[in-house]
Amino acid sequence: MRRGPVTLVEITRIALRLGFRPGTAAILLAFYLGSTFFEALGLTMLVPVFQFVQRDGDVAALIAENRYWEYLVSVYRVAGVPITLATLLVAAFTCVLARTLFMYARVLYTAVVREKLLWSVRNLAFQRYLGTMSGYAEHELSGGMVNDLTTELDRLIYALFSIVTLAGLCLTLLLYVALLLALSLPTTIAAVVILGLAGASLRGLWRKTQSASYRVTDANQSMAGFLVERLKALRLIRLSGTEPAEAAVMGRLTGRQRDNMVRLAALMARLDVIVEPAVVALGLVFLYLAVGAFDLSLEEIGLFLVVVLRLLPVVKEALRTRQSMIGSIGSIWAVDNRLRAMEAAREPAGGRVEFARLAKAIRFDHVSFAYDDGAAPALDDISLEIPAGAVTAVVGPSGAGKSTLIDLLPRLRDPTAGRISFDGRPIEDFSLETLRRGIAYAPQSPQVFSVTIADHIRYGRPGASDADIREAARLAEADGFIGQLGDGYDTLLGEGGVGLSGGQRQRLDLSRALVRKAPILILDEPTSNLDADAEEAFRAALERIRRETDMTIIVVGHRLSTVAIADQIVIMEAGRVSDTGSPTELLARGGWYASALAKQPGPVNIGADPDPAEDVNWKKTNIGRAG
């Protein structure tokens, strides 16, 4: 995480990047100015009240003794109000009421713009995350992302608004200092010196607060990362019997959070220990000097003490706001670094050509791809053609590069060498949005959300009609089991589709892919986790799709029985294409395909030790029919 000292300039720059508008700050400052002005006016009105009482309402004598009474009488005359004790008190109360209204408006406006900014930044971060390249998401812990967009973002927003709060408090301080200057110049200078010394003594405290802020952020991220990761692995934890060990680790992480938060709170509490005695000492010193050295009237002494007592919470609040900003510096850097990193990892927008259909073929010309970890290339000099409107299967041992090859088609990754073209046009010419809209994808492990079945299928195309949904389910051989559910297409799925079998989830997710009506369908290991019956149902769905649509279907698979209907099979080994052909051609040539097929027993051998020769003959017969 990028770290650095807290400065108002840097925080202001971050605020502007996040969408905190100068106009918002101006409005908040206007509220501060309004409340400060009326507070000062209300306090000032106490002096004429005291003087009016002392002179028994003799306005002429008051005008002769104090020039500002001339202005006060003029204002009352313009307003058409007589000067009495009651009208003076009403004026003071009106100022207090106006100050309260300004404060209420400021609090309400702050709440509105704060929540709006939180909403805006969270949505901005999520949109940026969705638009990052695959490598970013693969290397970032989702728990860290969750923490930065919840806990750390809350603290960051507080720090941003603290800038305005601090500016408003400084305005209030200046106004109080002006009032003190009007009453006594020497005492005011002494007050400023005392407060300055108190502020200077806090520099060491602020440095410790900044270090504690980084530790708090680090502890938050560690705990959130662990928690999200373990929530995904609850089944494994239970079956492994590691609940006590996991609970112990969680206890250590949350304990680290607790200790760092307590340490930060202790540093924040030291502020009062330093500032409050200084301000109280200031008031006592003034009282001594006012009585023994300065010729101040009783009402001036009273007003000075009132101002000092009002000054105490303002000074404390200003210093506490400053310290809170420093205490949030870890969160500021964490969120800012997160947003910057996601912006730097943004996917390219692609070209301007819209991808609508595949008429001829997809071609890979000497394509290679290597990850950033320095390992051997995942793809090495791939040259391959995938014909339009046909079923192409990509098979091979684990680690052969099959999934990486498929990731290149929707540009989840870009080749490090070579060229990919659709109907002869380079893939980079197509806009990324239309390219991905033209590719439907069903992963090995279905991503089923906790929504209704209809809503899950419609996720593939939000504008799909009910008829489109039912047609997609029919093609995927999912309409049968959906009809047997109590609420049919309105059945609510649990998280991950917990109420469905593996085969049902797979066909439901295939329905989601089919409702897109995209020209290209990619199925990534669709039957690797299915039993024989579920695999047969999925294979029937695949045959129906092939028969009733003109989609270009690409199947990545280990289960060779699933890909037996393919028009073309591509065999990959160690990142290279070792052979291509129809199932019959590949079986006749021997090699990896024939060897792998011989190791996968057919239905006739279930429950018995298979005879390899008979098993291969069975597969030759069945694959020959399919091919």
Side-chain angles (χ1 to χ4, degrees), residues 298-355:
L298 181 61
E299 63 269 18
E300 289 174 329
I301 293 175
L303 180 59
F304 201 104
L305 288 176
V306 169
V307 172
V308 169
L309 291 176
R310 291 292 299 154
L311 191 63
L312 173 59
V314 174
V315 171
K316 287 172 58 179
E317 184 64 23
L319 294 175
R320 186 180 291 112
T321 299
R322 168 70 171 167
Q323 189 179 19
S324 296
M325 288 170 53
I326 296 172
S328 301
I329 190 64
S331 302
I332 293 172
W333 289 145
V335 176
D336 189 52
N337 288 341
R338 174 76 62 181
L339 292 172
R340 284 171 172 266
M342 290 192 293
E343 179 65 16
R346 184 172 56 181
E347 289 183 311
R352 297 184 178 181
V353 179
E354 291 195 3
F355 176 71

Side-chain angles (χ1 to χ4, degrees), residues 232 441-451 455-457 459-460 493-497 505-506 508-510 512-513:
K232 295 178 181 178
Y441 174 76
Q444 175 180 353
S445 298
Q447 304 294 314
V448 179
F449 300 119
S450 184
V451 294
D455 287 338
H456 176 78
I457 298 175
Y459 187 82
L493 300 166
E495 185 176 357
R505 287 196 298 269
Q506 196 74 56
L508 186 62
D509 209 38
L510 178 59
R512 172 200 53 77

Side-chain angles (χ1 to χ4, degrees), residues 10 22 32 41 105 209 256 325 475 495 550 561 591 603 614:
E10 185 65 22
Y32 265 110
L41 189 59
T209 301
R256 183 183 166 206
M325 288 170 53
L475 281 173
E495 185 176 357
D550 60 353
S561 54
E614 292 179 0

Side-chain angles (χ1 to χ4, degrees), residues 90 189 254 273 303 321 335 343 435 470 485:
V90 167
I189 293 175
T254 53
V273 177
L303 180 59
T321 299
V335 176
E343 179 65 16
L435 178 67
R470 294 179 183 277
L485 298 174

Side-chain angles (χ1 to χ4, degrees), residues 93-422:
F93 176 76
T94 300
C95 292
V96 173
L97 182 61
R99 168 186 173 270
T100 304
L101 292 175
F102 271 99
M103 290 180 63
Y104 171 76
R106 173 173 58 83
V107 170
L108 183 60
Y109 182 74
T110 299
V112 171
V113 295
R114 182 184 184 278
E115 292 305 318
K116 183 178 179 181
L117 187 59
L118 272 170
W119 169 84
S120 174
V121 175
R122 281 183 178 142
N123 281 279
L124 171 67
F126 187 64
Q127 289 169 7
R128 286 193 180 180
Y129 180 78
L130 294 178
T132 57
M133 293 181 288
S134 297
Y136 177 85
E138 291 168 353
H139 291 91
E140 290 293 324
L141 293 176
S142 56
M145 177 78 170
V146 171
N147 175 72
D148 288 349
L149 296 188
T150 51
T151 303
E152 308 308 331
L153 182 57
D154 276 333
R155 297 176 68 202
L156 176 144
I157 296 297
Y158 174 81
L160 296 188
F161 279 87
S162 295
I163 298 176
V164 182
T165 301
L166 188 59
L169 291 171
C170 288
L171 290 174
T172 305
L173 286 173
L174 289 175
L175 184 59
Y176 283 143
V177 170
L179 283 175
L180 294 177
L181 283 171
L183 293 170
S184 173
L185 176 61
T187 308
T188 302
I189 293 175
V192 171
V193 170
I194 292 174
L195 292 176
L197 291 174
S201 67
L202 297 175
R203 296 185 63 182
L205 178 64
W206 285 342
R207 283 195 297 270
K208 293 179 181 179
T209 301
Q210 180 171 317
S211 298
S213 172
Y214 287 126
R215 290 194 293 271
V216 166
T217 299
D218 290 341
N220 289 341
Q221 290 180 333
S222 298
M223 190 283 294
F226 176 85
L227 178 61
V228 172
E229 190 175 50
R230 292 312 187 270
L231 288 177
K232 295 178 181 178
L234 181 59
R235 181 182 178 88
L236 174 63
I237 292 171
R238 287 175 173 173
L239 294 178
S240 301
T242 56
E243 294 96 326
E246 297 292 355
V249 175
M250 187 66 175
R252 288 195 297 271
L253 291 174
T254 53
R256 183 183 166 206
Q257 271 187 306
R258 176 202 60 212
D259 294 343
N260 282 297
M261 286 299 297
V262 169
R263 192 174 296 114
L264 184 59
L267 290 171
M268 300 289 288
R270 290 183 192 177
L271 186 70
D272 292 341
V273 177
I274 297 173
V275 175
E276 190 161 343
V279 177
V280 171
L282 168 64
L284 296 175
V285 169
F286 164 75
L287 185 61
Y288 175 81
L289 294 175
V291 174
F294 305 130
D295 186 19
L296 296 180
S297 64
L298 181 61
E299 63 269 18
E300 289 174 329
I301 293 175
L303 180 59
F304 201 104
L305 288 176
V306 169
V307 172
V308 169
L309 291 176
R310 291 292 299 154
L311 191 63
L312 173 59
V314 174
V315 171
K316 287 172 58 179
E317 184 64 23
L319 294 175
R320 186 180 291 112
T321 299
R322 168 70 171 167
Q323 189 179 19
S324 296
M325 288 170 53
I326 296 172
S328 301
I329 190 64
S331 302
I332 293 172
W333 289 145
V335 176
D336 189 52
N337 288 341
R338 174 76 62 181
L339 292 172
R340 284 171 172 266
M342 290 192 293
E343 179 65 16
R346 184 172 56 181
E347 289 183 311
R352 297 184 178 181
V353 179
E354 291 195 3
F355 176 71
R357 60 189 293 267
L358 185 67
K360 298 178 181 177
I362 302 171
R363 276 205 59 84
F364 291 77
D365 292 310
H366 302 287
V367 170
S368 297
F369 178 84
Y371 291 95
D372 296 332
D373 55 9
L379 300 176
D380 185 13
D381 196 30
I382 299 290
S383 291
L384 171 68
E385 182 173 290
I386 298 176
V391 178
T392 296
V394 182
V395 301
S398 298
K402 303 184 295 296
S403 295
T404 303
L405 180 75
I406 296 305
D407 284 349
L408 299 180
L409 295 178
R411 295 195 67 183
L412 295 176
R413 310 181 194 281
D414 286 326
T416 51
R419 175 182 182 233
I420 301 173
S421 60
F422 284 64

